[in-house]
């Protein structure tokens, strides 16, 4: 018998037997077990294979930092890879499978990599796969793709539900161990709104695995008493099975609650996981500390685990991790584990203490090897002995489990996710949380406190201090006495020399001490470079267990303090979060909800065919009886707009209301052209640049009142422009009085274009809209016949006399119907976005087909809109870089086919006449193309090298993908009314 379930003890419910399978074998556990504790209870030490060398691995922890025991849970559509067996809550019918092995866990062909390990050191892939070049696609890449990854995701659609929720509190307590419980109790009794969140399925944290007495009762009973009181307080919310994974701006915390991960099958009426965004006025990080493994030869065999893990399995789950357990320690944690094991009848064969002396009490009958070390372990699929060394003398010690304790590392990841760096403490021999202000503080073990009594006191005191800061009369919590505490102090021991096998630092990625040394020798000395060269800390545990050891070992190699080495960057998420939880209800038809215009019914009544345009459904064209193709409909619509009048739905354009005394100044900063002196009642076309000088978006902005503007954006960039404005206001000019609100959905907007548009519009609008009273670029509120207030803009995207009318969304259909009726005798027709596109190409207007993220204002012929005399605008400085002003840049031109019946296609490449098609000869590309019914042949807009100097030149329009070659003449991009006479009718 090795690892086994004790006859009594633990917090599992022995009256509730649970059946589960692992790799097809059936096992039994109890309610309250984790998958790892249940496997250990069944003497299943071998749980996984390492990623690179495929070495046998077992659980090394009992919590979320587990790097080894990764498994696939569930089957079919509910198969979830890379679940940590140490935190998977056991349930009846659970199906688990090992990963990264073939054909079986015990007999893994991939273990041959361990024999090849001398050739597979750190960075071998950077050197090996470079030559011969021909091998990359034919051999290297297929092999790498086959070997990459851990586990396999389900290919079927996820059948489960997910939710997102918001929560608000005065105090968020992260972690429900001794520190967190006392903090929540002090705050709860004071009347504050408290949320206590813990990743475990049972609250209590480390108290659940300790044998000390707290307040005259067992640690577990004390935890239960406090939790019972907290649950009875209406102002306290307890959130078990909830991991706080990220800390974001404005004291917003991200958390994921596993609502039904322990249920099979889950109820279809409830979410399986729920993503919480918790807004807290104050927060306490009570996440405790992680025990560090020791780095010695053979420290990765199944059965080798941290002392705290062995203690947790014993006291919480009633599982002895072995029948003959050895302990290797540099501090008091190892002695406490040995004492607990002996008290439960488990044979402790030896305590190997790296220190020359200590005052820790030795369990009766247990041998202590002082100033000793472990240099090797024996066994293949599990440990069956170790070699201890002291002063050059080596001896074999029989054991079937080894508990190791290398000190403690505070779990401070959340406090460092926003850029603050951990602070090294020589006293604690650990990285401590940085001071990031009074709103979010670390407490207890997370703040470097060692003893349970100190953690209880620190949790209550820091909660009281935060509450006083919020105006609460803090409650003086009674701090219970703790009996049977051990001394958790330790002496630093980063690496045990004399190893006879690999001494692993990162267990999952098989990074050993030799890899760290190689990285230093080859120049990858910065901790971030070492991480990437060796992959230390890049596994699914993100270095929670091994990164501090790595920093300490590198510091020793270089003869400096770990403070000089530092840590790698801490980023969300603290532990993996499923895509389902992040998506919530946003999936399938809800992933991209359909947006329809207020004029949707009007368009449908008039025979519209709809097209997806981003999230919108827009009317593409309007078919009439006898028309056999969409082209016939579009041609008719274009010709009718040019000759008579047409009505088009433009409601999908972004609309942003801008208010405040500083609105003009901000607009002058975000637009490249001038807006500071735009008169009330006028609109202006504006061009926005990115900070790098590239065109971002274009549109119009109208000044409706002294401190009120309305901006229109392209349909696709409405949200991005709003975010851009907010960013500019908050970052560049935070002192300005300016506010923004999106009003896209509040207005139905329609364009009435054509030479007869004023005649028709005057029948709808009461106000005088003659050319004198309402000239080009006029913009103001008007009253429609019947009394409805509306906004009227004299703007044109078609090149014709045109107006845009905006009415409250609910009136849109009725107003559009009225316009169609008023224009009946003028030959009015509805036209869609296809005709609108033809009209704008004929006129040479650009859209994001031309403004595609690489073009400057000058590239598209809008250089005159760069008001360089202004002190500054976004993008001004970088727009003057040589690369953005070179004469041979791609420039906007027009193209017309030499043979009128030849079609020019968008996306085609431009080549010099007689040039061979190749990238070396590429001169540009066609950005937009259409058949022009006004001209009777195909035309296009294109981006051509030095294009404005090449009008009249003939070039080859080559489309290799569609097998097309057309000769075209380069011309002005304005094909219709180049003098803009129609705009001013």
């Amino acid at each position: 018998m090795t690892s086994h379930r004790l006859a009594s003890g633990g917090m599992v419910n022995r009256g509730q037997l649970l059946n589960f399978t692992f790799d097809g074998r059936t096992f039994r556990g109890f309610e309250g077990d984790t998958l790892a504790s249940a496997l250990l209870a069944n003497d299943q030490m071998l749980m996984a294979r390492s990623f690179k060398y495929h070495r046998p691995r077992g659980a090394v922890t009992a919590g979320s930092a587990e790097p080894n025991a990764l498994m696939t849970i569930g089957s079919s559509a509910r198969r979830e890879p890379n679940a940590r067996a140490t935190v998977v809550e056991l349930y009846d019918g659970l199906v688990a499978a090992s990963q990264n092995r073939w054909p079986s866990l015990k007999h893994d062909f991939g273990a041959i990599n361990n024999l090849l390990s001398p050739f597979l050191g750190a960075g071998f892939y950077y050197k090996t796969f470079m030559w011969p070049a021909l091998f990359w696609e034919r051999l290297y890449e297929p092999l790498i793709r086959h070997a990459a990854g851990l586990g396999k995701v389900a290919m079927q659609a996820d059948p489960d539900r997910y939710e997102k929720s918001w929560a608000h509190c005065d105090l968020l307590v992260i972690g429900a161990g001794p520190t967190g419980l006392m903090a929540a109790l002090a705050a709860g009794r004071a009347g504050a709104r408290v949320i206590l969140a813990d990743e475990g399925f049972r609250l209590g944290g480390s108290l659940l695995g300790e044998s000390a007495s707290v307040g005259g009762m067992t640690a577990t009973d004390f935890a239960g008493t406090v939790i019972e009181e907290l649950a009875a307080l209406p102002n306290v919310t307890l959130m078990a099975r909830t991991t706080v994974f990220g800390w974001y701006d404005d004291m917003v915390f991200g958390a994921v609650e596993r609502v039904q991960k322990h249920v099979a099958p889950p109820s279809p009426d409830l979410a399986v996981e729920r993503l919480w965004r918790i807004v807290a006025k104050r927060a306490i990080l009570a996440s405790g500390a992680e025990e560090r493994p020791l780095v010695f030869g053979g420290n990765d065999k199944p059965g080798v685990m941290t002392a705290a893990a062995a203690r947790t399995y014993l006291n919480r789950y009633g599982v002895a991790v072995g029948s003959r357990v050895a302990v290797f320690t540099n501090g008091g944690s190892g002695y406490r584990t040995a004492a607990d094991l002996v008290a439960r009848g488990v044979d402790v064969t030896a305590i190997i203490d790296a220190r020359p002396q200590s005052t820790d009490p030795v369990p009766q009958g247990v041998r202590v090897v002082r100033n000793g070390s472990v240099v090797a372990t024996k066994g293949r699929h599990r440990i069956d002995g170790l070699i201890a060394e002291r002063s050059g003398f080596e001896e074999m010690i029989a054991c079937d489990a080894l508990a190791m304790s290398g000190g403690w590392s505070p779990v401070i990841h959340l406090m460092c996710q926003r850029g603050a760096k951990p602070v090294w403490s020589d006293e604690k021999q650990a990285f401590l949380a940085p001071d990031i202000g009074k709103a979010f503080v670390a407490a207890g073990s997370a703040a470097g406190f060692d003893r349970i009594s100190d953690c209880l006191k620190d949790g209550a005191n820091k909660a009281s201090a935060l509450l006083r800061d919020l105006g609460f009369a803090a409650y003086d919590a009674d701090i219970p006495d703790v009996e049977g505490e051990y001394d958790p102090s330790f002496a630093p021991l980063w690496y045990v020399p004399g190893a006879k096998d690999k001494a692993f630092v990162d267990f999952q990625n098989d990074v050993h001490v030799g890899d760290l040394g190689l990285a230093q020798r080859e120049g990858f000395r910065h901790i971030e470079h070492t991480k990437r060269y060796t992959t230390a800390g890049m596994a699914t545990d993100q270095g929670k267990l091994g990164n501090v050891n790595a920093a300490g070992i590198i510091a020793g190699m270089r003869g400096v303090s770990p403070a000089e080495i530092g840590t790698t960057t801490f980023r969300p998420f603290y532990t993996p979060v499923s895509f389902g939880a992040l998506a919530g209800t946003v999936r399938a038809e809800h992933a991209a909800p359909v947006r329809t215009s207020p004029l949707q019914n009007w368009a449908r009544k008039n025979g519209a065919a709809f097209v997806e345009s981003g999230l919108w459904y827009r009317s593409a064209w309007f078919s009439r009886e006898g028309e056999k193709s969409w082209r016939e409909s579009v041609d008719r619509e274009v010709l009718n707009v040019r000759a008579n009048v047409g009505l088009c739905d433009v409601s999908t354009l972004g609309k942003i209301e801008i208010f405040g005394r500083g609105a003009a100044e901000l607009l002058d900063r975000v637009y490249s052209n001038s807006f500071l002196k735009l008169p009330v009642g006028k609109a202006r076309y504006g061009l926005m640049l990115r900070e790098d000088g590239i065109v971002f978006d274009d549109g119009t902005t109208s000044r409706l009142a002294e401190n009120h503007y309305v901006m229109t954006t392209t349909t696709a960039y409405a949200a991005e422009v709003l975010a851009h404005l907010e960013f500019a206001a908050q970052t560049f000019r935070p002192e300005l009085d300016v506010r923004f609100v999106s009003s896209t959905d509040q207005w139905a907007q329609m364009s009435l274009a054509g030479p007869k548009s004023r005649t028709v519009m005057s029948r709808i609008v009461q106000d005088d809209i003659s050319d004198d009273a309402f000239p080009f670029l006029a913009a103001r509120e008007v009253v429609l016949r019947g009394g409805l207030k509306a906004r009227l803009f004299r703007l044109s995207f078609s090149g014709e006399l045109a107006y845009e009318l905006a009415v409250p969304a609910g009136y849109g259909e009725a107003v559009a119907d009225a316009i169609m009726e008023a224009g009946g005798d003028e030959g009015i027709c509805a036209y869609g976005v296809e005709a609108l596109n033809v009209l704008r190409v004929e006129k040479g207007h650009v859209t994001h087909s031309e403004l595609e993220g690489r073009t400057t204002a000058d590239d598209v012929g809008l250089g005159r809109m760069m008001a360089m005399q202004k002190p500054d605008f976004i993008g001004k400085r970088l727009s003057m870089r040589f690369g953005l002003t070179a004469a041979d840049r791609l420039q906007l031109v027009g193209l017309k086919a030499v043979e009128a019946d030849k079609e020019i296609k968008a996306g085609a490449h431009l080549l010099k006449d007689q040039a061979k098609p190749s990238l070396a000869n590429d001169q540009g590309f066609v950005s937009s193309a259409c058949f022009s019914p006004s001209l009777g042949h195909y035309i296009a807009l294109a981006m051509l090298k030095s294009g404005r100097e090449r009008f009249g030149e003939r070039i080859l329009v080559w489309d290799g993908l569609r097998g097309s070659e057309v000769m075209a003449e380069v011309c002005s991009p304005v094909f219709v009314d180049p003098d803009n006479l129609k705009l001013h009718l």
Side-chain angles (χ1 to χ4, degrees):
M1 180 173 64
T2 53
S3 64
H4 58 281
R5 181 86 67 181
L6 298 173
S8 62
M11 302 179 67
V12 294
N13 180 6
R14 296 174 183 259
Q16 186 62 53
L17 194 65
L18 304 176
N19 294 307
F20 68 100
T21 65
F22 174 61
D23 280 348
R25 294 177 56 199
T26 301
F27 297 92
R28 290 183 175 182
F30 295 122
E31 184 181 56
D33 264 323
T34 61
L35 177 56
S37 69
L39 287 171
L40 289 171
N42 287 275
D43 194 27
Q44 181 66 45
M45 282 266 191
L46 177 61
M47 299 183 190
R49 291 278 179 167
S50 64
F51 176 64
K52 185 165 147 184
Y53 297 137
H54 287 245
R55 289 170 67 105
R57 293 285 167 81
V60 70
T61 73
S64 61
E66 177 59 36
N68 286 344
L70 302 182
M71 300 179 183
T72 296
I73 306 299
S75 59
S76 189
R78 289 194 172 93
R79 186 171 69 243
E80 179 183 339
N82 298 329
R84 290 149 291 155
T86 50
V87 295
V88 172
E89 187 175 352
L90 194 69
Y91 57 84
D92 195 50
L94 183 147
V95 176
S98 56
Q99 305 177 158
N100 200 41
R101 83 291 184 276
W102 180 85
S104 68
L105 179 61
K106 189 173 183 180
H107 304 287
D108 179 19
F109 181 78
I112 193 174
N113 285 3
N114 196 43
L115 301 176
L116 299 174
S117 60
F119 306 101
L120 304 177
F124 79 94
Y125 27 79
Y126 299 125
K127 305 167 185 176
T128 306
F129 301 131
M130 300 300 291
W131 58 273
L134 186 64
F135 277 32
W136 174 252
E137 290 187 0
R138 297 184 180 181
L139 178 62
Y140 297 148
E141 185 180 14
L143 284 176
I144 293 171
R145 288 188 179 277
H146 181 74
L150 288 171
K152 295 181 179 179
V153 298
M155 300 307 293
Q156 304 95 321
D158 190 338
D160 295 325
R161 291 181 55 189
Y162 299 86
E163 292 179 351
K164 291 184 180 181
S165 296
W166 286 87
H168 297 76
C169 62
D170 297 312
L171 179 66
L172 170 65
V173 181
I174 303 166
T179 306
L181 289 177
M182 288 305 295
L185 188 63
R189 286 174 174 175
R193 295 175 301 158
V194 180
I195 293 177
L196 176 62
D198 191 278
E199 63 186 0
F201 56 84
R202 182 162 186 167
L203 301 180
S206 62
L207 293 174
L208 305 180
E210 291 294 341
S211 56
S213 173
V214 182
M217 62 187 81
T218 66
T220 54
D221 286 343
F222 169 75
T225 300
V226 174
I227 293 166
E228 185 177 351
E229 179 178 347
L230 290 173
L233 293 174
N235 54 310
V236 176
T237 301
L238 302 180
M239 299 181 69
R241 301 186 179 92
T242 303
T243 300
V244 179
F245 59 74
W247 175 43
Y248 303 93
D249 290 347
D250 302 318
M251 289 297 286
V252 176
F253 293 82
V256 62
E257 179 185 4
R258 295 172 295 281
V259 181
Q260 290 194 93
K261 284 300 207 180
H262 59 295
V263 177
S267 168
D269 298 323
L270 296 174
V272 168
E273 291 183 312
R274 183 177 295 119
L275 188 79
W276 288 94
R277 283 166 284 192
I278 302 173
V279 183
K281 294 180 180 178
R282 299 289 185 271
I284 289 178
L285 184 65
S287 47
E290 195 71 51
E291 190 167 30
R292 298 199 287 257
L294 287 165
V295 182
F296 58 90
N299 64 340
D300 66 324
K301 283 190 175 66
V304 181
M305 66 181 65
T306 65
R311 197 159 64 244
T312 298
Y313 288 121
L314 182 77
N315 296 325
R316 178 174 178 178
Y317 302 108
V319 174
V321 296
S323 299
R324 305 184 69 198
V325 182
V327 177
F328 182 21
T329 185
N330 65 347
S333 176
Y335 286 86
R336 169 46 62 92
T337 297
D340 287 357
L341 288 167
V342 170
R344 299 305 304 274
V346 179
D347 181 21
V348 176
T349 59
I351 298 176
I352 300 97
D353 192 339
R355 302 168 296 176
Q357 59 184 9
S358 74
T359 58
D360 297 294
V362 181
Q364 186 174 3
V366 177
R367 176 190 173 208
V368 179
V369 181
R370 298 193 186 280
N371 203 26
S373 62
V374 176
V375 294
T377 58
K378 297 299 181 180
R380 185 180 177 189
H381 293 129
R382 61 197 310 158
I383 187 172
D384 59 21
L386 60 85
I387 297 177
E389 186 273 342
R390 178 170 56 180
S391 299
F393 174 74
E394 296 181 354
E395 66 172 305
M396 180 75 172
I397 298 176
C399 64
D400 55 17
L402 174 57
M404 56 180 171
S405 176
W408 298 88
S409 297
V411 180
I412 56 174
H413 300 66
L414 285 177
M415 302 190 79
C416 302
Q417 287 181 350
R418 291 170 55 186
K421 292 293 185 180
V423 179
W424 175 255
S425 168
D426 285 324
E427 177 190 355
K428 298 295 182 180
Q429 285 294 299
F431 286 99
L432 301 182
D435 182 1
I436 53 176
K438 63 183 180 180
F440 188 20
V441 298
S445 296
F449 290 93
D450 300 320
R451 300 174 182 271
I452 296 176
S453 55
D454 292 335
C455 291
L456 294 169
K457 184 183 299 181
D458 192 49
N461 289 344
K462 285 183 175 169
S464 298
L466 292 178
L467 291 175
R468 282 193 292 270
D469 187 50
L470 292 175
F472 288 88
Y475 184 91
D476 294 328
D478 297 324
I479 309 300
D481 295 327
V482 181
E483 298 178 3
E485 276 193 287
Y486 70 94
D487 180 7
S489 62
F490 60 93
L493 177 60
W494 301 114
Y495 166 58
V496 178
K500 299 181 182 298
D501 192 1
K502 293 181 179 66
F504 287 95
V505 181
D506 185 301
F507 290 97
Q508 190 177 131
N509 275 355
D510 285 326
V511 180
H512 53 82
V513 173
D515 291 328
L516 298 180
L518 179 62
Q520 305 311 299
R521 292 194 301 274
E522 297 203 352
F524 297 91
R525 296 167 64 85
H526 191 285
I527 189 65
E528 294 284 7
H529 296 161
T530 301
K531 169 183 175 179
R532 284 152 182 81
Y533 189 69
T534 65
T535 70
M538 292 177 63
T540 58
D541 69 322
Q542 287 292 287
K544 292 182 181 64
L545 209 61
N547 271 9
V548 176
N549 276 341
I553 292 168
I554 294 171
M557 290 175 174
R558 292 167 53 180
V560 299
S561 165
E564 294 187 42
I565 303 301
T567 65
T568 55
T569 303
F570 295 77
R571 296 183 178 92
F573 306 118
Y574 173 65
T575 53
V577 178
S578 70
F579 285 112
L582 294 172
T585 58
V586 182
R587 55 185 296 184
E589 68 273 13
H590 300 295
V594 173
R595 297 185 72 180
T596 57
S597 161
L599 299 179
Q600 190 83 353
N601 287 335
W602 167 82
R604 187 175 291 109
K605 287 187 303 186
N606 284 273
F610 294 95
V611 63
E612 291 185 35
S613 178
L615 297 179
W616 293 92
Y617 273 86
R618 300 188 67 180
S619 47
W621 64 83
F622 294 81
S623 299
R624 287 190 177 177
E625 188 175 351
E627 293 174 343
K628 298 179 180 179
S629 70
W630 67 273
R631 264 282 309 278
E632 291 185 40
S633 302
V634 172
D635 290 352
R636 171 185 50 79
E637 292 168 12
V638 170
L639 293 173
N640 195 74
V641 170
R642 295 286 185 215
N644 299 307
V645 62
L647 184 65
C648 181
D649 179 11
V650 293
S651 303
T652 62
L653 294 175
K655 291 175 277 292
I656 301 171
E657 310 283 334
I658 305 171
F659 300 93
R661 293 186 300 274
E665 287 188 61
L666 187 77
L667 289 170
D668 209 51
R669 175 64 67 91
V670 297
Y671 277 127
S672 65
N673 50 321
S674 178
F675 269 82
L676 197 59
K677 297 181 180 180
L678 178 67
V680 174
K682 295 292 287 185
R684 182 167 294 167
Y685 177 70
L687 193 69
M688 292 185 189
L689 306 186
R690 302 188 315 222
E691 289 185 59
D692 61 1
I694 298 298
V695 176
F696 175 51
D697 196 50
D698 67 337
T700 63
T701 293
S702 305
R703 192 170 193 171
L704 300 183
E706 184 66 25
N707 297 320
H708 179 194
Y709 296 78
V710 60
M711 175 185 291
T712 62
T713 73
T714 57
T715 298
Y717 270 62
E720 286 84 349
V721 170
L722 180 59
H724 181 66
L725 293 173
E726 290 282 9
F727 177 80
Q730 295 178 34
T731 305
F732 302 141
R733 299 297 303 272
E735 77 283 0
L736 292 180
D737 171 30
V738 59
R739 297 171 304 283
F740 314 95
V741 62
S742 172
S743 61
T744 302
D745 293 322
Q746 275 63 54
W747 296 92
Q749 194 150 322
M750 54 209 86
S751 173
L752 189 66
K756 299 180 180 179
S757 57
R758 182 183 292 117
T759 302
V760 176
M761 186 62 72
S762 63
R763 297 171 182 174
I764 299 296
V765 177
Q766 287 185 6
D767 302 57
D768 181 4
I769 60 170
S770 64
D771 189 51
D772 291 335
F774 205 85
F776 182 59
L777 293 179
R780 60 174 178 259
E781 291 187 346
V782 296
V783 178
L784 306 189
R785 300 186 187 279
L788 179 66
K789 291 183 178 180
R791 293 172 176 175
L792 187 63
F793 311 88
R794 188 167 166 188
L795 305 169
S796 179
F797 196 51
S798 61
E800 298 291 330
L801 171 66
Y803 301 85
E804 290 189 13
L805 179 68
V807 300
Y811 292 91
E813 183 178 354
V815 172
D817 287 340
I819 292 175
M820 294 296 289
E821 183 178 352
D825 59 349
E826 303 295 339
I828 193 171
C829 76
Y831 67 101
V833 293
E834 290 292 343
L836 183 62
N837 186 58
V838 173
L839 291 165
R840 70 96 185 170
V841 171
E842 290 180 339
K843 188 59 181 173
H845 288 316
V846 294
T847 66
H848 278 284
S849 296
E850 289 73 41
L851 310 178
E852 35 74 288
R854 296 178 295 175
T855 50
T856 67
D858 185 68
D859 291 343
V860 291
L862 299 176
R864 64 187 183 282
M865 296 187 67
M866 303 273 284
M868 303 305 287
Q869 73 277 8
K870 291 198 300 184
D872 200 8
F873 57 83
I874 294 175
K876 177 181 179 180
R877 297 294 184 266
L878 293 183
S879 70
M880 295 184 284
R881 290 175 292 166
F882 173 76
L884 300 188
T885 57
D888 63 346
R889 284 187 60 82
L890 300 182
Q891 296 175 343
L892 181 69
V893 297
L895 296 178
K896 53 186 177 182
V898 173
E899 299 180 51
D901 61 337
K902 296 293 185 179
E903 180 180 0
I904 300 175
K905 297 181 178 180
H909 290 266
L910 306 181
L911 307 170
K912 288 185 177 180
D913 191 11
Q914 305 300 319
K916 180 181 178 181
S918 71
L919 288 177
N921 293 327
D922 194 19
Q923 297 284 296
F925 64 94
V926 178
S927 57
S928 302
C930 66
F931 177 79
S932 169
S934 305
L935 304 176
H937 57 78
Y938 286 93
I939 59 173
L941 298 179
M943 302 301 297
L944 178 66
K945 284 186 178 180
S946 305
R948 289 193 292 271
E949 300 174 3
R950 300 170 67 175
F951 288 177
E953 180 182 337
R954 291 191 174 191
I955 61 171
L956 177 64
V957 181
W958 176 75
D959 188 338
L961 185 63
R962 290 170 284 192
S964 170
E965 292 186 5
V966 178
M967 290 301 299
E969 180 184 333
V970 181
C971 61
S972 166
V974 183
F975 296 92
V976 173
D977 189 25
D979 296 324
N980 295 323
L981 299 178
K982 293 184 176 183
L983 294 177
H984 302 281
L985 290 176

